[in-house]
Amino acid sequence: MATDVAVPQHGTVGKRQGNEAACCKTGPGYATPLDAMSGPKEALIYVTAVYSGTGIQKPDYLATVDVDPSSPTYSKVIHRLPVPYIGDELHHTGWNSCSSCYGDPSAQRRFLVLPGLISGRIYAIDTKTNPKAPSLHKVVEPEEIIQKTGLAYPHTSHCLASGDLLVSCLGDKDGSAAGSGFLLLDSEFNVKGRWEKPGHSPLFGYDFWYQPRHKTMISTSWGAPAAFTKGFNPQHVSDGLYGRHLHVYSWPEGELKQTLDLGNTGLLPLEIRFLHDPSKDTGFVGCALTSNIVRFFKTEDGSWSHEVAISVKSLKVQNWILPEMPGLITDFLISLDDRFLYFVNWLHGDVRQYNIEDPKNPKLTGQIWVGGLIQKGSPVVAEAEDGTTRQFDVPEIQGKKLRGGPQMIQLSLDGKRLYITNSLFSTWDRQFYPDLLEKGSHIIQLDVNTENGGLAVNPNFFVDFGAEPDGPALAHEMRYPGGDCTSDIWV
């Protein structure tokens, strides 16, 4: 295995040749976020399903789930594409082309990009030839990535208007966060090099979002792979092995212009989303450990600032590893019309909906418990200031008890259906929800009131990954063939 790195290649974002501005011709996706809301209703969802770290010696796979209520296989896994290797830990996914390529008729949303968080491999999956039964198109091997860039632990991928792909990487081959950075692939999935300029790598890596009209990309900070791959240890936070920063880059040049220290209110900033309207210069980031949603925004002098927009109080608990339990905000998203923000508390077990029409003053409009450690029947109880205890009512769906806590979410284009998985990362699942590894995870769906706000469980939808042919699997991120709220960026 080639691991020696001389000088990492520095890739530059290319420009598409030809008719990107051609009149009346369009590429993939939609012209605007509001146009996307009028797109066709989802009929399929692709879901990463993980055996890595579970004790089952099988490859991870991409599951195709039928989400068409009129179909006889509604809420069933109808196809499984195992990857060729064992131990990848398929995690987040992205598209080779999205609405950022809308002006380019030569582009098509054909390949789903699947990075293996642990192995460092990146798979390109053909979903266009047969959407119900995707096939493997290409594998980018970790040896090539390491040899050319020094990068490992790939996480988030976004397509670019140029046709290139950008992938955040959380460390080097040894799991050191000092080796984190951004991998640039061309449209054929060839390694071009690092995107950021030499000497401009982030302190820690995780998620990112770019906003071309403001010539800015902002990335977030999980932690050093050498730490988080071993499970969560609070001492590692004190030791400086987890992040609390946002990294502001010039777009598309890759120069680190500003580092925002979120301090003790912004520990472990994970998912980041700008508002979908590309003219807006504001967005949000979910800070997992401190359970805050932080708003970031451009100031009058052109720099960026931040403030806490939503806070979830830790609960005083009994019969748990710590006297207080954070909500642990692990995922959030914004509806395509920028009206609602949704997030999950993986440990508490609730899903929340906020109206953000005034981004400075989010208003809680919906909340529902669909799992968590404090549900009725659990040994863990929450204790109020007066000493009374409580647990939360969690519904059963089709006679099945909901396991784990709500984790990854995906919203339908029209904003009316919210899909939820419950696996975070196999090592952390084993630590906090060991029954997930024994019984498998699941997907549920909430009906969303988009007029006045509100969330309700769809009793007819339950995808049980505990009943998979090769044994219980862990379901993580979801994508629709036609794009969604968390992968498409408008330019």
Side-chain angles (χ1 to χ4, degrees):
M1 176 175 176
T3 57
D4 293 332
V5 181
V7 179
Q9 294 177 203
H10 173 61
T12 56
V13 176
K15 291 187 177 181
R16 283 192 183 272
Q17 301 297 315
N19 48 10
E20 48 193 314
C23 176
C24 306
K25 295 183 179 180
T26 61
Y30 302 88
T32 70
L34 294 182
D35 286 344
M37 294 191 75
S38 301
K41 184 177 179 180
E42 70 281 1
L44 300 172
I45 282 185
Y46 302 125
V47 189
T48 50
V50 172
Y51 282 128
S52 302
T54 68
I56 296 177
Q57 294 301 305
K58 294 284 186 177
D60 301 341
Y61 59 100
L62 183 69
T64 306
V65 176
D66 185 341
V67 295
D68 178 0
S70 67
S71 169
T73 53
Y74 176 59
S75 83
K76 303 293 184 186
V77 178
I78 60 172
H79 184 265
R80 300 165 185 87
L81 174 66
V83 292
Y85 301 94
I86 292 175
D88 284 302
E89 185 104 25
L90 299 181
H91 198 62
H92 283 213
T93 61
W95 291 104
N96 71 306
S97 295
C98 72
S99 293
S100 67
C101 301
Y102 182 75
D104 182 1
S106 69
Q108 54 180 323
R109 194 195 306 263
R110 177 176 180 178
F111 299 113
L112 189 62
V113 183
L114 273 65
L117 180 59
I118 298 302
S119 69
R121 269 182 212 95
I122 298 177
Y123 299 99
I125 306 299
D126 180 359
T127 65
K128 194 171 183 66
T129 302
N130 185 347
K132 290 185 176 181
S135 58
L136 179 62
H137 171 71
K138 185 173 180 178
V139 182
V140 186
E141 294 292 353
E143 292 85 354
E144 180 185 5
I145 296 171
I146 291 170
Q147 193 274 326
K148 292 183 177 179
T149 69
L151 295 169
Y153 298 92
H155 188 270
T156 299
S157 66
H158 275 300
C159 64
L160 310 183
S162 64
D164 292 338
L165 293 105
L166 192 61
V167 184
S168 61
C169 294
L170 278 54
D172 60 18
K173 64 183 177 61
D174 298 318
S176 169
S180 63
F182 302 93
L183 170 67
L184 196 62
L185 302 174
D186 68 17
S187 60
E188 302 297 324
F189 306 99
N190 299 308
V191 176
K192 294 182 70 173
R194 283 183 181 244
W195 168 74
E196 76 276 17
K197 290 189 174 182
H200 289 251
S201 298
L203 301 172
F204 294 94
Y206 189 70
D207 196 24
F208 68 96
W209 196 281
Y210 62 91
Q211 200 74 314
R213 294 193 194 178
H214 297 280
K215 299 179 180 179
T216 297
M217 187 272 267
I218 303 181
S219 69
T220 64
S221 315
W222 183 6
F228 69 70
T229 56
K230 295 178 173 62
F232 179 69
N233 182 345
Q235 182 59 43
H236 288 161
V237 179
S238 302
D239 293 342
L241 296 176
Y242 283 93
R244 64 182 201 185
H245 299 87
L246 300 183
H247 305 98
V248 182
Y249 284 88
S250 61
W251 183 264
E253 295 83 8
E255 180 181 351
L256 182 60
K257 305 291 287 188
Q258 188 179 356
T259 298
L260 300 178
D261 188 343
L262 304 182
N264 290 332
T265 60
L267 296 176
L268 275 68
L270 298 183
E271 310 299 335
I272 186 168
R273 323 283 186 212
F274 270 92
L275 294 179
H276 292 287
D277 181 343
S279 69
K280 300 297 184 182
D281 59 0
T282 191
F284 298 87
V285 58
C287 301
L289 190 57
T290 40
S291 299
N292 290 323
I293 296 287
V294 170
R295 184 177 77 92
F296 57 88
F297 51 93
K298 187 183 280 189
T299 64
E300 290 185 2
D301 67 5
S303 65
W304 294 80
S305 188
H306 63 92
E307 64 182 9
V308 174
I310 303 168
S311 290
V312 176
K313 291 184 178 179
S314 293
L315 296 175
K316 186 177 181 181
V317 293
Q318 300 174 5
N319 308 319
W320 198 55
I321 55 175
L322 296 172
E324 290 193 346
M325 181 189 293
L328 209 74
I329 298 174
T330 51
D331 193 21
F332 84 98
L333 57 75
I334 299 171
S335 62
L336 286 169
D337 56 7
D338 292 332
R339 288 185 62 222
F340 292 107
L341 183 150
Y342 301 85
F343 70 79
V344 299
N345 288 304
W346 191 56
L347 296 181
H348 288 181
D350 59 313
V351 181
R352 299 192 187 190
Q353 175 198 47
Y354 284 79
N355 184 300
I356 57 166
E357 289 175 286
D358 178 359
K360 298 179 182 178
N361 297 289
K363 305 295 184 185
L364 180 64
T365 50
Q367 184 176 23
I368 189 170
W369 272 265
V370 290
L373 290 167
I374 316 175
Q375 59 180 293
K376 287 186 176 177
S378 165
V380 183
V381 296
E383 182 181 334
E385 290 183 5
D386 61 5
T388 59
T389 60
R390 60 173 177 155
Q391 292 180 310
F392 301 113
D393 287 313
V394 173
E396 291 188 351
I397 302 179
Q398 298 179 2
K400 299 292 182 69
K401 182 179 175 66
L402 299 187
R403 307 180 284 269
Q407 212 289 289
M408 294 303 294
I409 51 177
Q410 192 55 264
L411 188 67
S412 59
L413 293 177
D414 61 11
K416 295 180 179 180
R417 292 164 301 284
L418 187 71
Y419 296 88
I420 306 170
T421 60
N422 57 350
S423 168
L424 192 159
F425 174 63
S426 63
T427 307
W428 290 35
D429 292 348
R430 182 184 297 277
Q431 182 177 359
F432 293 102
Y433 290 110
D435 61 328
L436 277 185
L437 281 78
E438 300 168 7
K439 300 176 181 178
S441 62
H442 50 61
I443 310 175
I444 63 172
Q445 185 244 304
L446 303 183
D447 293 322
V448 178
N449 184 328
T450 57
E451 296 298 321
N452 303 313
L455 302 168
V457 168
N458 177 353
N460 300 315
F461 189 93
F462 186 82
V463 185
D464 187 1
F465 280 84
E468 287 294 89
D470 287 327
L474 302 173
H476 192 64
E477 193 171 56
M478 299 165 283
R479 294 283 182 219
Y480 310 125
D484 50 63
C485 293
T486 58
S487 62
D488 275 35
I489 292 176
W490 280 264
V491 299

